[in-house]
Amino acid sequence: MIDLLIKRRSIRKYTDEKIEEQKVEILKKAALLAPTGKNKKECEFVFVDDRELLEKLSKAKPQGGKMLEGAALAIVIIADETKSDVWIEDASVAATTLHYAAQDLELGSCWVQIRNRMFDYDAEISAESVVKDILNIGVDYKVHSIISIGYPEKWRPENDVASLDYSKIYENGCK
Ligand SMILES: Cc1cc2nc3c(=O)[nH]c(=O)nc-3n(C[C@H](O)[C@H](O)[C@H](O)COP(=O)(O)O)c2cc1C
């Protein structure tokens, strides 16, 4: 696990290579295995590999979402907020789980924030409503984020363990 944590970086440029079906199956398992508060399992996942839809999703949030146009796969994390008061935490855990599952499969990934973000072309419209329209997501659902995935055009340098800020770690209290 520590190796995955060190190696994982946000990857925003991908090759044209398709992701093998076995790897997609593993990503589906990873999404569904992520833990949830009170085991409510309220998060759901829309897997998108259709080029036209990926292109449309990339325009839902051009600042910070443009890489979706070149991704082989996007996983849109949604949840019915009435089913759990910790749906945001649960969706974040799922997003993180998918990030590391992708890394383990030697795939690059990047988190695209949708919740609390506006549509860049019109500040009155939420990025969430644009994504919901594109994917026919029901009115009861919130859109948390999109995980963009593909084979990296280039791996980025791994995290520098020597520069970790240990002043942020406390033992037995904050003094
Ligand atoms: C909550 C959250 C939201 C993020 N939203 C975006 C986003 O919308 N677009 C993007 O390109 N990267 C996004 N990122 C990726 C961060 O920019 C990235 O993780 C950070 O710069 C550290 O780089 P690294 O992932 O390579 O270590 C997000 C990451 C997190 C955890």
Side-chain angles (χ1 to χ4, degrees):
M1 184 69 194
I2 195 68
D3 197 41
L4 289 180
L5 289 160
I6 293 169
K7 286 199 174 127
R8 190 217 53 83
R9 299 294 314 280
S10 294
I11 301 292
R12 300 182 176 87
K13 286 197 171 155
Y14 313 100
T15 68
D16 292 339
E17 194 175 341
K18 265 184 77 95
I19 302 174
E20 299 85 336
E21 199 45 50
Q22 305 92 297
K23 290 195 177 183
V24 176
E25 276 308 308
I26 291 172
L27 291 168
K28 288 178 181 168
K29 280 201 179 77
L32 296 172
L33 281 166
T36 56
K38 296 186 183 163
N39 212 13
K40 295 264 180 162
K41 299 190 188 297
E42 76 283 10
C43 294
E44 298 181 30
F45 307 89
V46 186
F47 278 59
V48 181
D49 63 1
D50 179 273
R51 285 254 62 85
E52 210 173 301
L53 290 174
L54 287 164
E55 177 93 28
K56 284 187 183 165
L57 286 175
S58 77
K59 295 199 171 87
K61 203 192 145 209
Q63 280 179 31
K66 199 168 179 315
M67 80 295 265
L68 287 163
E69 70 187 0
L73 176 69
I75 305 173
V76 184
I77 303 179
I78 62 175
D80 178 346
E81 67 176 332
T82 64
K83 290 189 178 160
S84 171
D85 59 354
V86 292
W87 73 270
I88 298 171
E89 290 84 346
D90 290 343
S92 301
V93 171
T96 308
T97 302
L98 283 167
H99 244 330
Y100 289 106
Q103 182 69 40
D104 192 41
L105 294 167
E106 300 190 325
L107 294 165
S109 62
C110 189
W111 181 315
V112 179
Q113 182 69 21
I114 298 298
R115 193 186 73 83
N116 275 354
R117 293 289 178 264
M118 300 311 286
F119 181 46
D120 298 334
Y121 299 119
D122 183 340
E124 304 285 297
I125 302 174
S126 66
E128 174 180 58
S129 65
V130 179
V131 172
K132 283 176 93 165
D133 277 357
I134 296 168
L135 298 175
N136 300 312
I137 295 169
V139 281
D140 295 335
Y141 288 88
K142 304 295 282 181
V143 181
H144 176 267
S145 58
I146 304 177
I147 305 300
S148 145
I149 304 182
Y151 280 98
E153 202 177 88
K154 201 166 100 189
W155 285 106
R156 295 177 59 204
E158 60 186 40
N159 290 293
D160 178 14
V161 177
S163 70
L164 292 177
D165 184 358
Y166 278 87
S167 73
K168 290 180 178 159
I169 307 277
Y170 304 92
E171 287 174 19
N172 303 317
C174 285
K175 279 214 160 184

